[in-house]
Amino acid sequence: MYTKRVVFRAIAGVALTAALTGGSAMVAGAADGSGLDPMVVPSASAVTSEVLAAEASRPSTATTSADSGEGPAVSEAVAPDPTGQPGPTHCEDSQLAMDYRERPDRSTSEALGFDVVFTNAGSQPCSFDGWPGLVAEGADGETLTWALASGSTSTLTVLPPNGGQAVAEGTAVLPSVSRCAEATSDHLRAYISSDGAGGGIVDDAQISVCTDGTWTLWLGPLVAVHGAPGEVTPPDEPEPLPAKCQDEQLTLDYIARPDLSVVGASGFELVFTNATDIACSMWGWPGLVVESADGTRIGSSWAVGDDMGEPFVLENGDAATVLGTAPDPAAWGCEAVMADHLRAYVTSDGAGPGVVGTAQIPVCADGSTVLEIWPFTAA
């Protein structure tokens, strides 16, 4: 019976130690950021334990345990105490869905670029800090290989409920480059639950990987994409519409709306005005982040409802509004800090600079504030 165990050590930032039969160990350091310098390790015949999960959290203070003569000591990752973690509770595998997406724009002749996108399908927000555990498996569920951490830093990521998303960027070095024994995965299994006992989250992914102990999969830390624009498309219209509004065409005004306030949250209204002579169309939700005076992100948003509304046209001087609520840090139980402005992303591909509007609103200093926003409506 395979021994299932995953342990961590800090080598060049982030490292992973896999427990092996007989007490021997195999260690690989984190990527230096390029993701294209895999470390060749002992052959697969020495690897007899199956990786269950990578610790789904910021690397924590490690404790060292020896096997009393049965093998070298290893450094085991300590699961974080959820009660001491800022923001919402730690995300669990059971509340998330995963989507594997190839990224041709990041692929080269030597490596495949990809993203793994995690969506919170639950009704409560959750948080995550660090790297997901990621295993490439065959059609029968057998482990082919697993991913190593790329990079050495991470930040707390909050996934809003009912569709909040976060993404980890991955790289798969082609086996032909590493000259290793090769197999094609059937799916990927990611582990988010902090104790590794969640069972993982699975999505189909046909990736060529090494199976002789040469690591070729690298995965970056989880990064929030709350409110990222470009996820919706306008419904079919009998008459053509102008192109969707671009960030550079718009101005943004924040207006306090006490009449929209509820217990524990204050209401507000965002007014987007077309300041150009070029008509454009609007629909869906803006991507909205809360920033400090120096541009540091200190809050995010999630969209309320599942109806993006009918597209409408903004001529010069016309306005569109978005209603929303901002949770009170006192009700959330966190230290408060005053935001300087909001930055809204309207351009469809999210490549615009955003539309900035002054907004002196209190938010949680730990970045866990999530604003609720409704879709665009014509003013």
Side-chain angles (χ1 to χ4, degrees):
M1 178 176 181
Y2 290 118
T3 300
K4 297 182 177 180
R5 188 180 180 194
V6 169
V7 293
F8 280 80
R9 296 187 68 178
I11 296 181
V14 178
L16 181 148
T17 302
L20 308 178
T21 298
S24 60
M26 174 172 60
V27 178
D32 62 4
S34 66
L36 297 179
D37 188 20
M39 176 178 180
V40 178
V41 298
S43 66
S45 60
V47 183
T48 58
S49 72
E50 178 183 8
V51 173
L52 172 63
E55 174 63 44
S57 175
R58 178 190 297 275
S60 57
T61 304
T63 59
T64 301
S65 62
D67 292 334
S68 304
E70 297 180 0
V74 293
S75 182
E76 299 196 12
V78 178
D81 178 5
T83 62
Q85 186 177 17
T89 58
H90 195 285
C91 295
E92 300 296 334
D93 296 349
S94 58
Q95 71 188 107
L96 303 177
M98 180 178 72
D99 184 20
Y100 165 80
R101 301 176 184 175
E102 291 189 1
R103 287 291 303 272
D105 57 309
R106 293 209 319 268
S107 298
T108 67
S109 60
E110 296 184 341
L112 169 72
F114 64 89
D115 288 342
V116 280
V117 180
F118 297 89
T119 301
N120 183 0
S123 60
Q124 297 297 322
C126 66
S127 62
F128 183 89
D129 191 355
W131 291 255
L134 189 68
V135 181
E137 296 181 340
D140 296 329
E142 72 277 16
T143 295
L144 301 178
T145 190
W146 53 93
L148 291 181
S150 175
S152 59
T153 60
S154 65
T155 57
L156 180 70
T157 296
V158 177
L159 280 74
N162 305 315
Q165 291 186 323
V167 62
E169 295 186 351
T171 301
V173 179
L174 300 179
S176 59
V177 175
S178 300
R179 299 179 181 178
C180 61
E182 178 181 351
T184 300
S185 67
D186 179 77
H187 55 267
L188 296 176
R189 185 182 301 272
Y191 293 90
I192 294 289
S193 294
S194 59
D195 59 3
I201 315 161
V202 176
D203 192 39
D204 293 340
Q206 283 69 56
I207 303 177
S208 295
V209 297
C210 291
T211 60
D212 64 354
T214 302
W215 272 302
T216 55
L217 288 184
W218 305 86
L219 193 67
L222 212 58
V223 178
V225 290
H226 310 328
E231 297 298 323
V232 295
T233 56
D236 293 335
E237 288 290 325
E239 297 295 331
L241 290 169
K244 188 175 184 183
C245 295
Q246 306 295 298
D247 294 347
E248 294 87 348
Q249 292 179 262
L250 304 171
T251 62
L252 171 60
D253 292 302
Y254 169 88
I255 302 173
R257 287 286 302 273
D259 56 309
L260 298 179
S261 298
V262 295
V263 176
S266 57
F268 61 86
E269 179 180 0
L270 305 179
V271 180
F272 295 83
T273 303
N274 184 357
T276 70
D277 294 329
I278 301 174
C280 60
S281 59
M282 296 281 268
W283 65 86
W285 299 261
L288 187 65
V289 295
V290 186
E291 295 182 341
S292 61
D294 63 2
T296 300
R297 180 179 295 195
I298 53 176
S300 54
S301 69
W302 69 279
V304 176
D306 55 6
D307 182 4
M308 72 180 70
E310 293 294 324
F312 56 92
V313 177
L314 292 186
E315 302 286 351
N316 171 254
D318 288 346
T321 63
V322 171
L323 302 180
T325 58
D328 181 2
W332 192 259
C334 63
E335 179 184 352
V337 65
M338 191 65 68
D340 180 76
H341 58 267
L342 299 175
R343 186 180 300 273
Y345 295 92
V346 178
T347 303
S348 292
D349 59 5
V355 191
V356 175
T358 301
Q360 303 288 326
I361 56 176
V363 296
C364 291
D366 59 14
S368 62
T369 291
V370 179
L371 309 181
E372 294 186 352
I373 57 172
W374 277 258
F376 287 112
T377 58

